[in-house]
Amino acid sequence: MSFDYDLFVIGGGSGGVRAARIAAGEYGARVGLAEESRMGGTCVIRGCVPKKLMIFAASGPGMAEEMRGYGWQGAATGTFSWEAFRQKLDAELVRLETIYTAGLEKAGVTIHKSRARLADHHTVELADGTRLTARHILIAVGGRPAKPGIPGEELGLISDDLFLMEELPRRALLVGGGFVACEFATILNGLGVGTVQVYRGDAVLRGFDREARDMATLQLSACGIDLRLRVNPTRLDRTATGIAVDFDDGSRDEFDAVFFATGRTPYTQGLGLENTGLRLTSSGAIEVDEWSQSPVPSIFAVGDVTDRVNLTPVAIREGHSFADTVFGAKPRKVRHDPVASAVYLRPHELGTIGLTEEEAAARGSVDVYAATFRPMQSMFAGSDAKVLMKLLVDPNDDRVLGCHIFGPSAGEMIQLAAIPITMGCTKADFDAAMAVHPTIAEELVTMRSPARRHRPDREAGEMEAGQAAE
Ligand code: NDP
């Protein structure tokens, strides 16, 4: 059977673009790609890239405050022009979108500016009804923000909407305690918006190292966000002056804008799954194996739609590995563990890789090397903001199991720490590296003795003894 394409990619985000470009450009495959919106996907158009630029913008007041501590008289940020920032941001996104499109075209990929759905195991259908056949189909449609399912939630916005707002709200509510909620609360607060964040748990960023979570939780409040823990909205109502929100602790408050950052779900709606033998996991993701191959041999999926590790670099690696495997005769699987990541808060970020202290202690014995201190730069300026540097080490073989950094530029630091840790290095390898002085990161190579040791057998024994004593 002859096909229109060797590969048809649905979705022009990080994973889809990489797979298409490698399959066509490096391996000469005939590739078509459909994208219904702007080329670049969530990360480039309404995620990582604009978000990080906004984080930089939101750093202004904190930087000016710090400089006042260094003797700069009257150093101030002035007023922030959302309009000026938006214009620059729009131009930057157009620039990036153009680069993505040009890269695909140069590789010989045919771009279809259209939504596409699966018609059968080798056929996709575009929005105008055109049907195209392909030997292989790659689904790379990503995820979409999910709202919590409460009355009036249609009055609430999602993170995508912030990038499109004509003007900033005066007072905003952020719902959630994950990556997006914490980063967007940091942005809005830094840009001068009165920001309330509500989270149903007792510390933000569930799933991260507890000590680091506690520091992030403290920082959000310390930098001026009205963070309310163990609180969740129950309904939204429009009023003459804004949006009234009822909370489950009986309180009620009013905002100009409400943003839901309550997670994301795989974007499989309307994808034509019913025309295929594809299966969904319990989280609604497309089920694939370690080669990103679905139970239908001609259909593969990468990125957030598979809900494995929902990060751009992972989607890119999955897309590239798929192309190498299927079109380059270079079989390559993606290692999903360990994967470093960062949460971009201000003034301190959270960078993390590997096991948390809680996970490491549940797994077996672990030595915890941890230092908490006030870094030179902000301490001099009069801030008592603290940094955390933590290494988790298996005492049996000295291997570093995890690293957690809460501090300025922790995202940059964790990227470098990720190299030896991914290689399987030991604490002795860290110790062998000479310190770079004076830096915050030197703490990673100068921590000599554990702050504490977890020994599960002993802890269990102690618990049993404690229970017997009661
Ligand atoms: P997360 O899953 O990280 O967080 C969702 C938050 O919403 C959690 O605090 C969760 O609470 C809360 N929540 C979920 N359902 C409800 C509900 N019904 N009512 C109230 N609260 C609720 O999702 P995000 O949207 O923050 O981020 C999505 C993904 O995007 C992340 O997994 C991440 O991979 C990626 N991302 C990465 C970034 C980075 O690398 N810097 C930045 C932004 C996003 P609970 O914890 O109690 O479940």
Side-chain angles (χ1 to χ4, degrees):
M1 182 178 172
S2 77
F3 297 100
D4 298 319
Y5 292 108
D6 299 316
L7 169 66
F8 196 93
V9 180
I10 307 179
S14 303
V17 167
R18 174 61 67 95
R21 203 162 50 73
I22 299 300
E26 291 204 7
Y27 304 127
R30 293 170 305 137
V31 181
L33 180 146
E35 169 56 55
E36 63 177 332
S37 178
R38 296 176 68 178
M39 197 63 78
T42 300
C43 174
V44 176
I45 304 298
R46 48 194 165 264
C48 324
V49 171
K51 177 276 306 286
K52 187 110 188 237
L53 292 169
M54 283 189 187
I55 284 280
F56 289 139
S59 309
M63 288 163 106
E65 173 69 26
E66 194 164 82
M67 284 305 109
R68 282 193 283 278
Y70 274 81
W72 287 90
Q73 306 294 312
T77 43
T79 52
F80 176 70
S81 167
W82 174 247
E83 201 188 332
F85 175 78
R86 270 278 317 272
Q87 274 175 16
K88 286 203 70 180
L89 181 63
D90 286 348
E92 176 61 7
L93 299 189
V94 168
R95 188 182 75 84
L96 293 173
E97 195 182 357
T98 308
I99 290 173
Y100 267 68
T101 305
L104 286 170
E105 285 171 349
K106 192 164 164 239
V109 176
T110 306
I111 297 171
H112 300 271
K113 299 283 297 168
S114 166
R115 187 171 169 70
R117 59 194 285 278
L118 297 156
D120 65 40
H121 292 177
H122 288 285
T123 310
V124 295
E125 187 181 279
L126 303 182
D128 65 2
T130 306
R131 288 187 164 220
L132 298 163
T133 58
R135 184 177 299 279
H136 299 286
I137 295 172
L138 179 69
I139 302 170
V141 294
R144 287 292 178 276
K147 289 185 181 175
I150 58 172
E153 68 176 17
E154 65 283 357
L155 300 173
L157 305 171
I158 52 171
S159 56
D160 301 13
D161 298 317
L162 175 62
F163 306 120
L164 305 172
M165 289 182 107
E166 287 301 321
E167 54 186 47
L168 286 175
R170 271 174 301 120
R171 192 157 184 269
L173 172 70
L174 253 302
V175 183
F179 279 86
V180 174
C182 294
E183 291 181 340
F184 276 69
T186 300
I187 289 168
L188 290 172
N189 173 66
L191 298 182
V193 176
T195 307
V196 178
Q197 182 181 356
V198 292
Y199 173 50
R200 61 187 178 183
D202 63 352
V204 295
L205 296 171
R206 190 165 63 82
F208 286 81
D209 185 88
R210 179 70 206 211
E211 202 175 358
R213 292 175 64 196
D214 287 340
M215 293 180 77
T217 304
L218 261 177
Q219 174 175 281
L220 289 168
S221 295
C223 71
I225 296 162
D226 179 355
L227 175 63
R228 304 175 190 172
L229 297 171
R230 297 186 195 84
V231 177
N232 221 8
T234 52
R235 68 173 293 132
L236 275 61
D237 289 291
R238 188 176 293 290
T239 67
T241 46
I243 298 166
V245 183
D246 288 310
F247 297 100
D248 58 4
D249 63 353
S251 61
R252 186 177 166 90
D253 205 342
E254 193 172 305
F255 305 91
D256 300 315
V258 175
F259 291 94
F260 287 105
T262 44
R264 296 174 64 88
T265 47
Y267 186 39
T268 55
Q269 219 182 352
L271 198 57
L273 298 182
E274 65 283 3
N275 303 324
T276 70
L278 292 180
R279 290 198 294 259
L280 295 183
T281 66
S282 57
S283 67
I286 291 181
E287 186 186 296
V288 289
D289 65 11
E290 56 199 353
W291 300 99
S292 297
Q293 189 169 27
S294 78
V296 178
S298 59
I299 303 180
F300 293 69
V302 295
D304 288 8
V305 76
T306 63
D307 195 23
R308 287 176 283 182
V309 179
N310 298 333
L311 295 169
T312 290
V314 177
I316 291 172
R317 187 72 62 90
E318 287 168 358
H320 200 134
S321 299
F322 155 77
D324 281 350
T325 304
V326 175
F327 297 99
K330 284 191 272 187
R332 199 154 72 93
K333 290 185 204 170
V334 176
R335 189 175 153 188
H336 287 98
D337 181 34
V339 172
S341 68
V343 191
Y344 298 103
L345 310 176
R346 281 295 179 266
H348 293 173
E349 301 174 352
L350 173 54
T352 186
I353 183 167
L355 301 183
T356 65
E357 183 174 341
E358 296 71 37
E359 287 166 345
R363 165 189 173 274
S365 293
V366 58
D367 288 347
V368 181
Y369 293 82
T372 313
F373 57 95
R374 293 195 291 162
M376 181 198 256
Q377 181 177 326
S378 54
M379 187 178 71
F380 183 85
S383 163
D384 56 9
K386 289 204 175 87
V387 158
L388 168 72
M389 309 294 282
K390 184 189 269 195
L391 284 178
L392 304 166
V393 179
D394 186 333
N396 299 310
D397 57 8
D398 201 38
R399 210 160 53 86
V400 178
L401 303 172
C403 177
H404 308 280
I405 302 175
F406 186 73
S409 302
E412 304 291 345
M413 288 193 253
I414 205 71
Q415 176 62 85
L416 298 182
I419 299 167
I421 292 172
T422 305
M423 290 167 73
C425 77
T426 61
K427 174 69 165 58
D429 294 322
F430 267 80
D431 295 344
M434 197 67 81
V436 178
H437 185 72
T439 62
I440 293 170
E442 69 180 305
E443 205 66 31
L444 286 178
V445 300
T446 55
M447 290 188 285
R448 290 286 160 243
S449 47
R452 53 195 168 271
R453 296 182 165 92
H454 294 284
R455 298 291 180 266
D457 294 346
R458 206 182 310 154
E459 280 165 21
E462 279 165 12
M463 263 174 64
E464 277 165 26
Q467 279 160 2
E470 283 167 20

